[in-house]
Amino acid sequence: MSLEKNNIRVRFAPSPTGPLHLGGVRTALYNFLFARKHKGKFILRIEDTDQKRFVDGAEKYILDSLNWCGLNPDEGPGLGGSLGPYRQSERKEIYSSFVQQLIESKHAYYAFDTPEELDSMRAKMKSSGVQSPTYNNITRESMKNSLTLPSEETARLIDSGEKYVVRIKMPRNQEIKFEDLVRGWVSVNTNHIDDKIIYKSDGMPTYHLANVVDDYCMKITHVIRGEEWLPSAPLHIYLYDCFGWLNSAPKFAHLPLILKPDGNGKLSKRDGDRLGFPVFPIEWNSPEGEVFPGYREEGFSNEAFVNMLSFLGWNPGTDQEVFNMTELITEFSLARVGKSGSKYDYAKTKWFNQQHLRLRSDLELFEMMMAKDDTVLSRFSKEYILKIISLVKDRAVFATDILDEAACFFTEKVHFEELSVEKKWNQNMVPHLNNILDLLTSLDDFTNEDIERVFKEYLQLNNLSFGKIMPMLRIAITGKMAGPSLFVTMELLGLNKVQKRVKHAINTIL
Ligand code: GLU
């Protein structure tokens, strides 16, 4: 059966505990591409059950980031959809009825242990050689919970307002198996899973319960999320089983980690500062007043950013690297998502930006540049600027580089780069520069082809190498050693300016 007929529904389920890191955006992107490819729905669910970690502004940041990347959800908070609410804090009643169901079916139990009692259990276990003691199918038997207390005592404690949590009762020695769409079969013995808290004393569910209940209630067909959630998946499968939902459980795909550029560990939110590149899609202004840079503000285009992210874990199986969103939707498949971590590469991110910049028309770039700052440009004709954009755009990584690359076209006074002069200016060659200038002056048409012809003829006649004269001429006209075609540059500037600049260089550089 084709996936289309399955009514594909996927969700991106961030917690509003801070800005979305680029790994989070990658998860959203893969969910989005999968949904669009199979004509399904992409849902945004805000997982805000952990009230202590709630950060002001984070939800808006998530929406703004998705919006900038063009990953607009079909359903979500404030976006409509019939299976909401889409913020977990607004679904409290739903969870409490499901928790009740698990308690009644004896899959979960009340636990009244105080923090001190928990500490003492852990200390005791440690001293008997258990490295990381947990509340599990062995230790629970000596703790204060509804499995060990008489039922009247449990009822009395609850009635008297004693604080409690609800824990899942993991069975002993059972294999939990599921087929992950990226990693293949995963099998875990329940002895390795602790009796996780599924409901807290503040009346809020924990992530595990809320996540499973919501995926079920929201009819999610595929859970596509980061590898860090793989250890939780067996518990989630077990919860589906307890509820009797195993047949309609979603399929799982755990995406590979995004690694630091040197491959040593996961790229973290703190790495940006240390390694000198943004780790956030758009700028984040923390409630404490700190500002963290974003790709948008650094001048990256959303297409390039998305294209770069798409390759952090997936590949199309061909040599093509530059993709727009429509192409990504067509090509994307979970079958081509790899298991091993992907190293983040900032230089490659810039390369993607450069490739996408090249795809823009000169007119688009003109409009972008004018919108950004037209103080200098407004003094020149649109036709002139367009010709310059076409000449220099291949050299630019960011739209703003175009102005830097083309600085010599928009200034009267050329600044001679010291290092270039030191390396390439040879006073003995100045008479040749004068001669070339005379030849150029006598041209009928000051076109790049004629300029090039005259220049080359002169070099040949005088047995001069290109490398001796060309850099000097370039320094005189543009101030630098590198740039786009000098002959086209000269044509665009016109004979008058070329004359003035070469003469000025001869008189000033000594
Ligand atoms: N709220 C979890 C997160 O912050 C969601 C994990 C999942 O997709 O199940 O990443």
Side-chain angles (χ1 to χ4, degrees):
M1 187 160 69
S2 86
L3 284 174
E4 264 82 314
K5 297 210 185 82
N6 272 340
N7 294 325
I8 295 296
R9 289 175 61 82
V10 294
R11 83 312 190 259
F12 175 51
S15 300
T17 52
L20 207 53
H21 149 268
L22 55 86
V25 190
R26 196 265 321 250
T27 299
L29 171 65
Y30 285 15
N31 274 284
F32 174 86
L33 294 175
F34 187 76
R36 290 289 172 271
K37 170 153 185 153
H38 300 295
K39 316 231 169 340
K41 294 276 186 260
F42 171 56
I43 293 136
L44 174 66
R45 182 171 75 224
I46 297 294
E47 300 210 325
D48 56 351
T49 52
D50 193 348
Q51 303 279 295
K52 287 194 275 316
R53 294 181 60 217
F54 181 84
V55 172
D56 240 1
E59 185 180 318
K60 180 173 183 311
Y61 180 92
I62 291 167
L63 276 167
D64 291 348
S65 301
L66 293 181
N67 189 270
W68 180 62
C69 295
L71 309 176
N72 295 315
D74 302 305
E75 298 169 26
L79 305 168
S82 57
L83 298 176
Y86 295 92
R87 233 179 249 117
Q88 290 187 328
S89 57
E90 294 163 18
R91 302 172 62 81
K92 277 189 186 176
E93 289 74 37
I94 301 177
Y95 307 123
S96 72
S97 71
F98 282 108
V99 170
Q100 218 45 53
Q101 195 179 316
L102 287 181
I103 293 171
E104 275 156 31
S105 63
K106 307 234 179 307
H107 287 109
Y109 60 93
Y110 297 101
F112 301 95
D113 317 270
T114 61
E116 295 74 34
E117 284 163 340
L118 290 170
D119 284 347
S120 114
M121 176 270 280
R122 288 191 201 106
K124 230 190 265 168
M125 297 297 292
K126 272 204 167 162
S127 68
S128 63
V130 179
Q131 275 195 339
S132 2
T134 55
Y135 203 117
N136 58 21
N137 59 32
I138 309 262
T139 50
R140 70 180 172 224
E141 287 178 4
S142 53
M143 301 303 287
K144 195 172 158 194
N145 54 51
S146 56
L147 301 175
T148 56
L149 297 170
S151 52
E152 309 77 54
E153 177 63 0
T154 300
R156 193 193 62 78
L157 288 172
I158 292 173
D159 287 346
S160 66
E162 184 88 6
K163 275 198 164 189
Y164 66 82
V165 296
V166 178
R167 289 182 180 269
I168 187 80
K169 186 179 167 207
M170 285 314 284
R172 216 168 271 182
N173 201 21
Q174 271 183 26
E175 284 303 311
I176 299 182
K177 271 191 185 168
F178 69 97
E179 192 177 10
D180 187 275
L181 295 175
V182 173
R183 329 195 75 82
W185 281 99
V186 176
S187 172
V188 176
N189 189 291
T190 50
N191 287 352
H192 298 125
I193 308 175
D194 55 331
D195 284 3
K196 284 259 174 335
I197 298 176
I198 55 172
Y199 202 68
K200 294 176 286 183
S201 50
D202 62 1
M204 277 292 216
T206 59
Y207 156 73
H208 301 293
L209 182 92
N211 189 268
V212 166
V213 164
D214 287 350
D215 283 346
Y216 174 76
C217 294
M218 295 179 184
K219 299 189 180 348
I220 299 303
T221 57
H222 294 74
V223 168
I224 304 169
R225 62 185 174 192
E227 189 181 292
E228 61 275 29
W229 301 104
L230 184 62
S232 302
L235 170 63
H236 295 179
I237 300 280
Y238 181 65
L239 281 169
Y240 281 100
D241 198 9
C242 295
F243 281 119
W245 301 335
L246 215 44
N247 284 338
S248 49
K251 296 207 170 4
F252 288 86
H254 287 92
L255 307 176
L257 294 178
I258 299 180
L259 306 174
K260 294 183 208 296
D262 63 6
N264 265 330
K266 191 177 152 183
L267 182 71
S268 84
K269 288 189 177 181
R270 290 168 302 280
D271 283 331
D273 260 359
R274 199 168 58 78
L275 300 168
F277 54 78
V279 287
F280 301 116
I282 62 179
E283 194 174 270
W284 165 247
N285 295 287
S286 80
E288 294 77 35
E290 263 183 293
V291 180
F292 296 87
Y295 282 85
R296 180 178 67 183
E297 290 71 18
E298 298 281 305
F300 286 85
S301 71
N302 47 2
E303 295 102 333
F305 180 68
V306 162
N307 193 170
M308 174 281 289
L309 281 184
S310 72
F311 272 79
L312 290 178
W314 167 84
N315 73 77
T318 63
D319 288 342
Q320 186 180 347
E321 289 188 280
V322 180
F323 286 83
N324 62 28
M325 190 68 100
T326 317
E327 293 166 325
L328 283 176
I329 291 170
T330 314
E331 292 304 318
F332 184 78
S333 111
L334 285 173
R336 298 213 61 88
V337 172
K339 285 199 206 47
S340 45
S342 270
K343 282 188 215 161
Y344 176 76
D345 181 346
Y346 189 47
K348 189 74 187 187
T349 306
K350 288 191 188 162
W351 179 86
F352 275 112
N353 208 58
Q354 180 169 39
Q355 301 307 310
H356 281 270
L357 197 70
R358 287 180 186 178
L359 294 177
R360 298 220 176 228
S361 72
D362 297 346
L363 193 62
E364 272 178 286
L365 291 172
F366 170 80
E367 274 153 13
M368 275 164 71
M369 287 160 66
M370 292 299 273
K372 189 132 181 90
D373 184 0
D374 69 351
T375 28
V376 176
L377 296 178
S378 58
R379 286 189 261 126
F380 298 85
S381 78
K382 181 171 172 180
E383 199 197 347
Y384 178 70
I385 301 171
L386 283 174
K387 281 187 188 154
I388 291 158
I389 290 176
S390 144
L391 179 66
V392 303
K393 82 170 178 196
D394 277 1
R395 305 177 56 81
V397 171
F398 299 105
T400 45
D401 291 348
I402 296 180
L403 256 191
D404 297 338
E405 283 291 338
C408 74
F409 292 101
F410 301 112
T411 176
E412 285 304 315
K413 220 170 159 311
V414 176
H415 163 75
F416 304 118
E417 260 180 21
E418 234 173 88
L419 200 71
S420 308
V421 171
E422 219 172 275
K423 268 192 162 163
K424 296 288 176 188
W425 193 266
N426 178 350
Q427 212 50 37
N428 299 334
M429 293 288 139
V430 167
H432 290 302
L433 272 192
N434 273 319
N435 294 344
I436 292 170
L437 201 55
D438 285 344
L439 287 172
L440 294 179
T441 311
S442 65
L443 277 175
D444 288 338
D445 286 322
F446 199 64
T447 61
N448 71 76
E449 294 88 355
D450 282 354
I451 300 170
E452 183 170 356
R453 182 179 45 75
V454 164
F455 181 78
K456 285 189 173 159
E457 278 171 7
Y458 182 84
L459 294 192
Q460 209 168 20
L461 215 63
N462 294 279
N463 209 10
L464 285 169
S465 81
F466 213 71
K468 282 228 148 56
I469 296 289
M470 190 70 162
M472 286 179 71
L473 198 56
R474 191 184 279 286
I475 291 170
I477 292 166
T478 71
K480 312 192 244 191
M481 234 154 42
S485 158
L486 185 61
F487 305 120
V488 179
T489 303
M490 286 159 85
E491 175 183 330
L492 285 175
L493 283 167
L495 176 62
N496 206 315
K497 281 195 182 147
V498 169
Q499 274 176 326
K500 269 201 207 148
R501 288 187 186 186
V502 176
K503 283 187 186 150
H504 175 68
I506 290 173
N507 293 334
T508 25
I509 306 178
L510 297 169

